[in-house]
Amino acid sequence: MTIAKRLYVGFGAILGTLLVLLIVYLFAANNQGSALESVRTIEDVRYKIMQNRLNLNNFLLSGDPRDEEKVNKGMLETADTLKKSQTLARSDSLRAALSEVEITENGWGENFAKPLLAKRHQVDSGDATVSDLQIFYLQKDPASWLAKSAAVLDQSSAETTKSADTARTMSTLLTLVGTLGAILFGGLVAFKTAKSISEPLNHLITVAREIGDSGDLDQNIDIHRQDEIG
């Protein structure tokens, strides 16, 4: 193999190692970005759910039509957010969790929120009392509805965080090992390349010296012969 080819192979191997490290880094960055996006989605859904509960409680206490409008608008926005989030979700587990939350929130709206809205209207019209509303509210077991969605979101968030931590640890380990490997491999390539260049040069220098010494010897012999003839 010629010196030029050795140089090409050596530096090409170093560049290949750096390319592998770049791919590992991009893969890790993509996983972390996906995890952060999933966490943001989960927290956005959680926030809307809590807002819906708060708006409903405000309406049940005040009977203000503006609070009722917030409840109805919030349920529509939550449903829309859940559908879009399922479409954009990068993992099957997150998509399944959002689907489960969507079913739960639809049930909350149909079986909890809307009956209570109607009961509050009965109170405002005089067909029911505040005590009737309170009893009806407790019979609907409000805590269980919040716990259902919260449990699913908490589990999904924990799985996403664990996955992100695992990916980050693996990427850090691979980057560290790859960097050390690249340093060692680069040093080996540099040593081999220097050796492949220096050995032929040293050989050429040795041959040139031998040729030079041989020429000097021939010249000395000619001078000695001329002296003898003279």
Side-chain angles (χ1 to χ4, degrees), residues 66-230:
R66 290 173 297 183
D67 290 328
E68 182 181 15
E69 183 180 352
K70 290 179 181 179
V71 174
N72 292 323
K73 182 179 179 181
M75 288 191 293
L76 292 175
E77 289 180 351
T78 302
D80 184 60
T81 298
L82 285 167
K83 289 185 180 298
K84 289 181 178 179
S85 298
Q86 289 179 62
T87 303
L88 299 175
R90 297 187 181 184
S91 65
D92 293 336
S93 59
L94 177 60
R95 192 175 297 110
L98 293 173
S99 178
E100 186 175 349
V101 172
E102 181 182 17
I103 294 172
T104 301
E105 289 306 298
N106 287 338
W108 177 83
E110 294 297 327
N111 302 316
F112 184 83
K114 290 182 179 180
L116 282 168
L117 292 174
K119 196 68 175 180
R120 176 67 211 197
H121 285 302
Q122 291 178 8
V123 173
D124 293 335
S125 63
D127 296 330
T129 65
V130 174
S131 297
D132 295 333
L133 177 61
Q134 292 175 344
I135 294 173
F136 188 71
Y137 177 82
L138 294 175
Q139 288 175 344
K140 290 293 183 179
D141 194 9
S144 65
W145 287 104
L146 180 60
K148 290 179 182 178
S149 294
V152 175
L153 293 175
D154 289 343
Q155 181 180 357
S156 181
S157 179
E159 291 177 353
T160 301
T161 302
K162 182 178 179 180
S163 176
D165 290 342
T166 301
R168 182 167 54 251
T169 301
M170 289 299 297
S171 65
T172 301
L173 180 61
L174 289 175
T175 301
L176 178 61
V177 173
T179 301
L180 293 176
I183 293 174
L184 294 175
F185 186 69
L188 179 62
V189 169
F191 174 76
K192 290 289 187 181
T193 302
K195 187 177 180 181
S196 66
I197 294 174
S198 61
E199 286 184 350
L201 288 177
N202 291 333
H203 179 68
L204 289 174
I205 292 172
T206 300
V207 172
R209 286 177 178 174
E210 290 177 354
I211 294 174
D213 293 341
S214 176
D216 292 340
L217 179 61
D218 292 341
Q219 184 178 5
N220 291 332
I221 293 174
D222 291 339
I223 293 173
H224 181 69
R225 287 179 178 176
Q226 289 177 2
D227 292 340
E228 289 180 350
I229 294 173

Side-chain angles (χ1 to χ4, degrees), residues 25-43:
Y25 172 78
L26 293 177
F27 176 76
N30 181 68
N31 282 345
Q32 293 180 12
S34 177
L36 290 175
E37 183 179 344
S38 297
V39 170
R40 282 196 297 266
T41 299
I42 292 171
E43 294 308 314

